[in-house]
């Protein structure tokens, strides 16, 4: 049995906790309880060559007052960068976090989840901007913790990236 | 008092009156008499009325005044107390982080100190009470300690039922992933993985927030009725959840277990890629940490279970018996090794059926691994670690002396003139003396030997002449040695023939006209 630690990182309120909740418990909550410190969950995945347990560290969102504690990423095999499609600035923050993490922990597998795709009316990030991100080679997936769209795909993409690393 | 400001009713009408009236004259007089003072008074009044100026004045002296008053009585303190209390209350209401931030450096340390002090005190006093109490049980424990050679503390630890190690977590330090988990109850433990992750996160948090510089680690946590004891290794953490009051000894046991795990599994810990099954073999080490009321198992009701239990008992007995006889055999072997001259056993450990013996060993001493077969212990189960040393045992001393004399004698040569076998007077005295010493040393060392006296010649001359010359030279040395007291039984004289190839170089040379010595040992 293989276990892997992965982290959820991104600006505050982008839906990190909601994505984990959707993935692990298949539920969604409209209410917003900001995460303090870390919340840990786990999920078993059946992969092609055996079982994989993801231990998910849902980290408190990054903001000016409480910048992300990079030490929580120690020993992580990969991470999910989360941005909020309704706030363009969260994509910049995701990019910034990505380079800070790489600076401390080296290049790790990651997936970028642009969340809240169900809120079409409030969507603020242009397709053009997203295309530029994909052009960098970043694995990008549009998700909604509310409807569940793209959520399993996000985690399983990261899982297969991790296992590729193992080979 | 008269109003000096001029705005009062008495001053205003004076301007309108004609000169020379008594009122005017009085005013004139007044102006003359007290005019300067009046101006001063007005200034003073202004100062008292103007809050800005007044505040400035008070500010100049307030510190001195407070100091003076403080020394005089306690009224100032009493007057200020409610103000300060209110101020603190307000500050906490508005933003608690300000005050807690200011106080943390003092309070955090103080609390930590107080808590650990109290904890230590509690445990220590308990320990003392336990050690001093003279109950029948205590007496049994002391007896057990005597009998088994363990410390009383250890027996106490094993026997007293004041705590229970309920769960043990082995955690990979780097990733915080759970490598192995055991719990003392049959109860299914919910999500040990998450506990492990949380623990690591808390560690990270503590290290980040409180003592980033010192790298001080969290070692004890109170979780409800549990104590969580965390041992920090370089690659792993061992967290043990203990109910009750754990004795100090326990900490040592946990630490030893962690050290053992890190010693045995350091490679797997370093190369850990998420595959936890490689850590299955730590099970027995962790099991040894589940101390406490382990013996109290719920009673079995069903007969089938009784049979099973009986079989298990038999098996356990059998295992215990084989373990005991293995232990006996090992102990006998250790005694045997320790009694060997030139071997000092400093420590012996057994881990799960294999053994490590450490100590000092004279290179001349018997090889202890040779004794394993006699004792019926498989050699692959035993590792030795010997530091070389020179034993002062008489036998070893004599062996060393014998060896030294032998080396010296074999390096000696007695030289001869051309075609002569005459041994100069006194030339052989040192050799003879050494041979006598050799005889003594050999006796104590238990060595048997003979000295071959080897006669040689140089190339010129016929082969047969040379052979008899060599023989004569050896014989001459032998009889001279015997004359000086060397027992003849120890000596043999022989001629070393020149091989035909050697005979090719036909020049005379003094180096080869000699007798040398060689020790023959059976
Ligand atoms: N409509 C919609 N709302 C979402 C979605 N994901 C999250 N939300 C809402 O966004 C708010 C914040 O979500 P969280 O999951 O708590 O965000 P977070 O990133 O964990 O926030 P922090 O812990 O403060 O960093 C909540 O009110 C969620 O209900 C989504 O996909 N669609
Ligand atoms: Mg959150």
């Amino acid at each position: 049995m293989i276990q892997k630690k992965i982290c959820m990182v991104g600006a505050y309120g982008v839906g990190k906790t909601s994505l984990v909740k959707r993935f692990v418990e298949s539920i969604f909550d409209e209410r917003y309880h900001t995460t303090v410190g870390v919340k840990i969950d786990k999920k078993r995945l059946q992969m092609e060559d055996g079982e994989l347990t993801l231990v998910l560290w849902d980290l408190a969102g990054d903001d000016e007052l409480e910048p992300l504690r990079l030490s929580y990423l120690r020993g992580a095999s990969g991470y999910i960068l989360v941005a909020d499609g309704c706030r363009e600035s969260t994509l910049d923050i995701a990019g910034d976090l990505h380079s800070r993490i790489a600076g401390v922990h080296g290049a790790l597998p990651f997936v970028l989840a642009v969340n809240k795709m169900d809120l079409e009316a409030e969507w603020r990030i242009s397709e053009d901007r997203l295309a530029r991100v994909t052009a960098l080679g970043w694995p990008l997936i549009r998700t909604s913790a509310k409807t569940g769209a793209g959520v399993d795909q996000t985690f399983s993409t990261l899982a297969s990236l991790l296992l590729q690393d193992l080979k | 008092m008269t109003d000096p400001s001029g705005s009062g009713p008495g001053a205003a009408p004076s301007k309108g009156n004609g000169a020379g009236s008594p009122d005017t004259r009085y005013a004139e007089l007044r102006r003359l008499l007290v005019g300067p003072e009046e101006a001063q008074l007005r200034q003073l009044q202004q100062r008292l009325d103007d809050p800005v100026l007044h505040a400035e004045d008070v500010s100049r002296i307030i510190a001195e005044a407070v100091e003076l008053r403080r020394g005089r009585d306690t009224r100032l303190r009493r007057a200020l107390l409610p103000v300060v209390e209110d101020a603190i209350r307000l500050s906490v209401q508005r933003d608690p982080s300000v005050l807690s931030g200011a106080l943390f450096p003092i309070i955090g340390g103080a609390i930590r100190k107080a808590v650990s002090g109290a904890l230590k005190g509690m445990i220590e006093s308990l320990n003392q009470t336990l050690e001093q109490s003279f109950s029948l049980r205590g007496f049994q424990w002391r007896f057990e300690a005597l009998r088994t050679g363990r410390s009383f503390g250890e027996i106490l630890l094993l026997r007293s039922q004041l705590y229970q190690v309920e769960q043990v977590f082995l955690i990979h330090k780097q990733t915080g992933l759970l490598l192995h988990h055991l719990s003392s109850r049959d109860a299914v433990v919910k999500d040990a993985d998450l506990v492990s992750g949380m623990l690591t996160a808390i560690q990270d948090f503590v290290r980040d927030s409180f003592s980033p510089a010192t790298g001080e680690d969290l070692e004890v946590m109170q979780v409800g009725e549990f104590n969580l004891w965390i041992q920090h290794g370089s690659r792993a953490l061992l967290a043990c959840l203990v109910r009750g009051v754990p004795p100090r000894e326990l900490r040592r046991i946990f630490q030893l277990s962690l050290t053992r795990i890190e010693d045995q599994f350091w490679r797997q810990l370093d190369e850990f890629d998420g595959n936890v099954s490689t850590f299955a073999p730590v099970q027995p080490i962790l099991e040894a940490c589940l101390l406490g009321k382990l013996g109290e198992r719920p009673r079995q009701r069903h007969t089938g279970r009784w049979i099973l239990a009986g079989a298990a008992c038999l098996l356990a007995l059998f295992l215990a018996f084989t373990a005991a006889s293995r232990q006996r055999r090992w102990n006998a072997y250790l005694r045997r090794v320790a009694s060997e001259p030139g071997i000092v056993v400093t420590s012996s450990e057994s881990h799960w059926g294999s053994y490590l013996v450490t100590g000092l060993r004279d290179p001349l001493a018997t090889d202890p691994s040779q004794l394993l077969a006699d004792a019926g212990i498989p050699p692959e189960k035993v590792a030795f670690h010997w530091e070389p040393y020179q034993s002062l045992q008489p036998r070893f001393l004599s062996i060393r002396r014998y060896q030294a004399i032998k080396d010296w004698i074999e390096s000696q040569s007695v030289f001869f003139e051309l075609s002569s076998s005459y041994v100069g007077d006194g030339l052989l005295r040192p050799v003879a003396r050494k041979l006598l010493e050799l005889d003594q040393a050999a006796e104590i060392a238990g060595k048997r030997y003979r000295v071959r006296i080897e006669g040689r010649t140089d190339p010129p001359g016929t082969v047969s002449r040379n052979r008899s010359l060599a023989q004569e030279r050896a014989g001459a040395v032998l009889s001279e040695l015997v004359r000086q007291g060397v027992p003849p039984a120890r000596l043999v004289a022989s001629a070393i023939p020149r091989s035909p190839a050697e005979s090719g170089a036909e020049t005379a040379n003094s180096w080869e006209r000699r007798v040398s010595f060689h020790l023959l040992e059976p």
Side-chain angles (χ1 to χ4, degrees):
Chain A
M1 190 182 57
I2 306 278
Q3 281 201 17
K4 293 285 182 188
K5 165 180 170 178
I6 67 171
C7 293
M8 308 290 298
V9 292
Y12 69 93
V14 293
K16 299 180 292 294
T17 307
S18 303
L19 286 171
V20 171
K21 226 180 182 126
R22 162 63 68 191
F23 179 53
V24 175
E25 300 170 62
S26 308
I27 48 177
F28 175 73
D29 189 348
E30 289 282 354
R31 284 170 305 169
Y32 175 32
H33 297 290
T34 187
T35 307
V36 178
V38 196
K39 199 173 158 295
I40 296 173
D41 253 305
K42 70 164 177 179
K43 168 96 173 182
R44 284 212 179 133
L45 292 183
Q46 197 56 51
M47 305 296 286
E48 269 173 42
D49 27 34
E51 207 172 67
L52 172 69
T53 304
L54 291 182
V55 176
L56 305 163
W57 288 44
D58 170 21
L59 309 187
D62 179 85
D63 64 29
E64 289 86 34
L65 283 180
E66 192 65 37
L68 179 76
R69 282 170 194 267
L70 286 171
S71 60
Y72 285 139
L73 275 114
R74 197 163 45 99
S77 303
Y79 53 94
I80 293 180
L81 282 173
V82 187
D84 179 348
C86 309
R87 286 184 288 154
E88 183 152 21
S89 64
T90 62
L91 194 59
D92 302 327
I93 293 176
D96 175 48
L97 289 174
H98 171 69
S99 45
R100 273 165 59 200
I101 293 169
V104 173
H105 299 281
L108 291 173
F110 72 99
V111 172
L112 172 66
V114 184
N115 192 34
K116 307 197 186 176
M117 68 179 286
D118 55 294
L119 299 173
E120 282 163 40
E122 278 115 287
W123 195 260
R124 292 287 175 278
I125 304 184
S126 66
E127 282 306 306
D128 207 40
R129 174 91 203 262
L130 292 182
R132 261 182 286 141
V133 173
T134 346
L136 287 176
W138 289 24
L140 184 153
I141 297 169
R142 262 153 278 210
T143 60
S144 166
K146 188 169 180 176
T147 64
V151 176
D152 284 356
Q153 195 201 340
T154 303
F155 287 94
S156 60
T157 304
L158 184 62
S160 30
L161 286 176
L162 299 185
L163 293 185
Q164 237 171 43
D165 241 30
L166 212 59
K167 283 168 197 168
Chain B
M1 198 186 167
T2 336
D3 188 352
S5 69
S7 65
S14 65
K15 272 200 170 154
N17 288 351
S21 79
D23 269 2
T24 352
R25 263 179 289 139
Y26 171 66
E28 180 65 19
L29 183 66
R30 212 170 73 144
R31 194 180 53 78
L32 284 173
L33 284 175
V34 297
E37 284 79 9
E38 205 177 344
Q40 265 182 353
L41 273 173
R42 204 173 293 129
Q43 246 177 4
L44 268 173
Q45 182 68 34
Q46 214 178 355
R47 243 179 139 139
L48 284 173
D49 285 350
D50 184 336
V52 177
L53 285 176
H54 193 44
E56 208 162 88
D57 284 346
V58 175
S59 77
R60 238 173 265 149
I61 50 147
I62 188 160
E64 288 85 345
V66 167
E67 217 154 87
L68 265 177
R69 188 56 191 263
R70 199 178 55 120
R72 216 165 285 159
D73 60 29
T74 60
R75 280 199 41 201
L76 187 70
R77 236 173 293 160
R78 269 182 283 145
L80 282 179
L81 185 64
V83 180
V84 173
E85 281 173 350
D86 276 351
I88 291 177
R89 201 167 300 134
L90 192 69
S91 159
V92 172
Q93 262 168 18
R94 200 183 297 150
D95 182 4
S97 69
V98 175
L99 210 61
S100 68
L103 289 178
F104 180 77
I106 327 165
I107 292 189
I111 290 179
R112 244 183 301 172
K113 215 182 241 170
V115 167
S116 69
L119 207 79
K120 223 192 237 160
M122 238 161 53
I123 290 171
E124 236 149 28
S125 73
L126 180 79
N127 240 8
Q128 255 177 13
T129 336
L130 279 173
E131 267 189 82
Q132 284 165 0
S133 67
F134 187 79
S135 60
L136 181 60
R137 211 145 164 238
F139 190 73
Q140 279 170 350
W141 290 345
R142 284 201 186 278
F143 180 68
E144 189 174 347
L146 255 173
R147 192 166 49 83
T148 55
R150 300 198 222 208
S151 77
F152 180 58
E154 232 170 309
I155 299 292
L156 256 191
L157 178 62
L158 293 169
R159 296 286 167 263
S160 61
Q161 307 273 300
L162 293 158
Y163 68 95
Q164 168 71 53
V165 182
E166 304 241 307
Q167 294 186 42
V168 189
F169 302 84
L170 180 67
I171 301 170
H172 188 238
K173 191 162 192 166
Q174 175 91 22
T175 58
L177 292 176
L178 184 66
L179 300 176
H180 206 79
H181 170 252
L182 277 184
S183 66
S184 69
R185 299 272 164 87
D186 312 66
V188 186
V189 176
K190 237 189 122 194
D191 279 336
D193 291 312
L194 299 192
V195 175
S196 154
M198 262 347 273
L199 272 179
T200 334
I202 293 172
Q203 299 290 337
D204 289 347
F205 178 79
V206 168
R207 206 169 304 132
D208 266 19
S209 337
F210 300 140
S211 47
T214 56
E216 208 176 284
D217 288 317
L218 203 59
E219 293 186 328
V220 180
M221 254 189 259
Q222 186 87 36
V223 191
E225 58 178 314
F226 293 105
N227 276 297
L228 192 59
W229 278 11
I230 304 161
Q231 303 298 317
H232 296 259
S234 54
R235 299 175 171 88
L237 304 180
L238 185 67
C240 302
L241 201 62
V242 192
R243 194 204 292 273
V245 182
R248 258 179 316 176
E249 289 276 317
L250 204 54
R251 170 137 258 162
R252 205 177 52 85
I253 291 182
F254 294 158
Q255 188 57 59
L256 276 177
S257 305
L258 180 60
T259 312
R260 190 171 297 159
I261 289 169
E262 289 202 316
D263 280 356
Q264 283 179 25
F265 295 90
W266 62 271
R267 191 185 298 281
Q268 290 93 317
L269 285 166
D270 273 355
E271 293 166 1
F272 180 60
D273 60 358
N275 186 357
V276 288
S277 47
T278 45
F279 292 91
V282 302
Q283 173 103 3
I285 306 184
L286 293 189
E287 268 167 6
C289 293
L290 287 176
L291 297 165
K293 289 180 198 159
L294 241 153
E296 284 177 17
R297 277 281 148 86
R299 294 210 167 173
Q300 312 284 344
R301 292 246 170 82
H302 310 286
T303 7
R305 292 213 189 151
W306 273 112
I307 294 170
L308 261 182
C313 268
L314 276 178
L315 184 67
L317 265 176
F318 172 73
L319 289 178
F321 177 76
T322 46
S325 68
R326 197 170 52 208
Q327 187 62 38
R328 251 198 322 277
R329 231 177 304 152
W330 175 249
N331 287 343
Y333 169 74
L334 267 187
R335 274 195 301 277
R336 167 101 170 75
V337 170
S339 69
E340 272 298 316
I343 294 183
V344 182
V345 176
T346 52
S347 76
S348 71
E349 299 166 47
S350 61
H351 301 293
W352 322 115
S354 52
Y355 304 95
L356 172 66
V357 184
T358 352
L360 307 173
R361 177 171 169 261
D362 193 308
L364 296 170
T366 322
D367 183 355
S369 54
Q370 306 283 309
L371 302 172
L372 284 170
D374 273 356
I377 297 166
E380 68 275 7
K381 290 275 179 206
V382 189
F384 296 101
H385 179 79
W386 300 115
E387 291 293 335
Y389 89 116
Q390 295 204 345
S391 162
L392 296 180
Q393 284 270 344
R395 196 166 77 86
F396 293 137
L397 285 179
S398 302
I399 293 175
R400 288 206 171 80
R401 225 161 105 65
Y402 171 89
Q403 194 61 46
I405 300 171
K406 174 186 169 190
D407 291 346
W408 185 85
I409 288 177
E410 288 188 334
S411 72
Q412 298 301 304
S413 290
V414 185
F415 295 99
F416 293 84
E417 295 296 312
L418 252 175
S419 300
S420 153
S421 58
Y422 169 74
V423 189
D425 204 15
L427 202 64
L428 278 174
R429 202 163 297 145
V431 178
R433 194 155 54 240
K434 283 287 178 223
L435 282 174
L436 286 171
E437 273 181 45
L438 185 71
D439 210 39
Q440 284 170 5
E443 190 162 341
I444 302 171
K447 294 265 185 191
R448 296 194 296 137
Y449 74 97
R450 291 176 95 186
V451 182
R452 187 167 72 194
I453 301 166
E454 300 175 336
R456 295 165 204 272
T457 59
D458 59 359
T462 64
V463 174
S464 63
R465 168 67 194 129
N466 276 344
R467 184 180 301 131
S468 59
L469 184 60
Q471 189 68 52
E472 278 166 31
R473 285 174 175 163
V477 169
L478 188 146
S479 42
E480 180 57 25
L481 288 174
V482 171
R483 204 175 63 79
Q484 300 200 19
V486 180
R490 292 285 186 209
L491 305 174
V492 228
S494 67
I496 303 296
R498 298 186 55 77
S499 68
E502 276 179 314
S503 312
E506 294 291 302
T507 48
N509 96 51
S510 63
W511 165 245
E512 289 186 89
R513 298 193 297 271
R514 67 190 172 109
V515 160
S516 60
F517 306 90
H518 181 73
L519 262 71
L520 306 168
E521 292 159 327

